[in-house]
Amino acid sequence: MTGPGAADAGTDGDEAAPDADAADDAAPPVVLKLGGSLITEKDSPETLDDDALDAACDAVAEALAAGDVDRLVVVHGGGSFGHHHASEHGVSTTDGTRDANAVAAVHGAMKRLNAHVLERLRERGVPAVPVHPLSLAARAEGADGGLDLPLGSTATLLGEEFVPVLHGDGVATAGSGVTVVSGDELVVELAAGLGARRVGVCSTVPGVLDGDGDVIAEIDAFEAVADALGASDATDVSGGMAAKVRELLALDAPAYVFGAEGLAPFLRGEGAGTRID
């Protein structure tokens, strides 16, 4: 296993094979999540962290312009937009609603945040376009079942040199109406289905922290770090750091959890924060 400071460029053994539907001669994509706690003021309803969002969009634009990343999919969390409304209506990844007004409130908030992210990216020349999970995804087997996320549109957008931008959202759920799908779960589905080369999760912390507050360099089993992982701060209906680690461990591709300062190195193909593999 490569250490957290080493580059991954050209390490074919770390790359997941694409699904047949997504396979072509193009380079495997990089999947990047911008955490909601990073790009919004999570304790203030529907409030952006303008400086953090601008810095993240700068890093993405610079990496694409430099050719450090060829094909990129971005996912962002809900932050003070989606999480605020989901919490208000009692909707989570396990608890659903059949109230259309509640669904509209959560989805509408996420579309507003998504529009901000898209605008900032496009201002920097990034060909970013939205992909809204509520219109695509479902849990046909109920809240405890797997997520069905068709990837045809995302894969085609990538092939046409766009940067698809997805987000945490509501998701149709058999037996429960609509529940929440987290950005972290979307990252896992995208990385597996598109055969991602690397996965990055950019947050407000410099990596996954141990009990002493130090960054854990590498994680290869949840049990080894379970005691150190607690619930996230502020309002979070998607599970916090423990859920992130569990979902990222399910990937074949190497994943990294890092803070804002790790975003540019990650996009250059270097290690950053905590490697999860």
Side-chain angles (χ1 to χ4, degrees), residues 77-243:
S80 63
F81 286 71
H83 287 298
H84 169 73
H85 290 279
S87 180
E88 186 176 74
H89 291 282
V91 187
S92 70
T93 56
T94 55
D95 296 318
T97 181
R98 292 184 174 84
D99 180 353
N101 291 323
V103 175
V106 174
H107 181 61
M110 288 310 305
K111 286 182 68 177
R112 288 191 290 276
L113 178 55
N114 185 248
H116 287 301
V117 175
L118 292 167
E119 180 182 26
R120 302 291 176 96
L121 288 170
R122 287 198 296 258
E123 286 174 350
R124 291 157 172 82
V126 176
V129 293
V131 177
H132 301 303
L134 179 61
S135 301
L136 291 176
R139 296 191 193 281
E141 298 177 358
D144 294 330
L147 180 69
D148 177 14
L149 178 66
L151 295 178
S153 62
T154 301
T156 303
L157 288 168
L158 276 172
E160 295 300 312
E161 301 184 351
F162 291 103
V163 173
V165 182
L166 294 85
H167 52 83
D169 205 351
V171 60
T173 303
S176 298
V178 169
T179 59
V180 167
V181 58
S182 71
D184 297 306
E185 186 172 8
L186 294 172
V187 165
V188 171
E189 293 292 322
L190 289 161
L194 298 173
R197 178 164 57 94
R198 316 172 81 234
V199 175
V201 176
C202 188
S203 175
T204 54
V205 293
V208 182
L209 307 181
D210 64 17
D212 296 322
D214 297 322
V215 174
I216 301 170
E218 296 182 356
I219 298 173
D220 58 12
F222 184 80
E223 293 74 17
V225 295
D227 291 342
L229 300 181
S232 64
D233 57 3
T235 300
D236 192 337
V237 295
S238 61
M241 186 60 78

Side-chain angles (χ1 to χ4, degrees), residues 67-88:
D68 294 330
V69 177
D70 183 22
R71 287 151 44 95
L72 178 68
V73 181
V74 175
V75 179
H76 64 79
S80 63
F81 286 71
H83 287 298
H84 169 73
H85 290 279
S87 180
E88 186 176 74

Side-chain angles (χ1 to χ4, degrees), residues 40-48 78-85 88:
T40 74
E41 298 287 352
K42 209 167 181 184
D43 292 320
S44 301
E46 297 208 21
T47 304
L48 294 173
S80 63
F81 286 71
H83 287 298
H84 169 73
H85 290 279
E88 186 176 74

